[in-house]
Amino acid sequence: MAIVGAGIFVPFKTHGNGFIGIVLAMLARERPVWVLFGALLFGACLSMTTALQVAGVDIPTDIIQMTPFAMVMLVLIVAGRRANLPLALGASYVRGER
């Protein structure tokens, strides 16, 4: 991702968004439509951080960049009671083994 986007290695390029992906996999409960709606919700929050910074909103940058992660915690509080991780998410991959 860093090599293609900028041509150089940039540490911490994803800014913790992988954790949002894991939460999305957990909350979707193996339903593709839920993955779509969850990805749209979290994607809107991620793009809102950039839009608020460009618009010049008088809120500290750290608070604005915290918005997607606050949304993840809010969704986990509301819908995470019955959620569990898919079995394949924690399984080790061994090449050639099924």
Side-chain angles (χ1 to χ4, degrees), residues 82-93:
R82 297 171 304 181
N84 55 0
L85 290 172
L87 295 176
L89 193 61
S92 299
Y93 174 75

Side-chain angles (χ1 to χ4, degrees), residues 24-42:
L24 185 61
M26 180 179 73
L27 292 175
R29 298 184 190 111
E30 300 179 4
R31 294 185 181 117
V33 175
W34 288 28
V35 172
L36 176 69
F37 288 127
L40 287 174
L41 173 70
F42 295 135

Side-chain angles (χ1 to χ4, degrees), residues 11-78:
F12 306 112
K13 178 81 171 166
T14 59
H15 301 290
N17 293 334
F19 293 112
I20 293 177
I22 291 172
V23 169
L24 185 61
M26 180 179 73
L27 292 175
R29 298 184 190 111
E30 300 179 4
R31 294 185 181 117
V33 175
W34 288 28
V35 172
L36 176 69
F37 288 127
L40 287 174
L41 173 70
F42 295 135
C45 288
L46 287 170
S47 65
M48 185 178 66
T49 61
T50 305
L52 288 175
Q53 289 176 0
V54 169
V57 175
D58 192 28
I59 300 174
T61 306
D62 295 332
I63 301 292
I64 292 174
Q65 291 179 344
M66 185 179 66
T67 306
F69 299 101
M71 180 61 71
V72 166
M73 288 190 289
L74 180 68
V75 169
L76 276 174
I77 290 169
V78 172

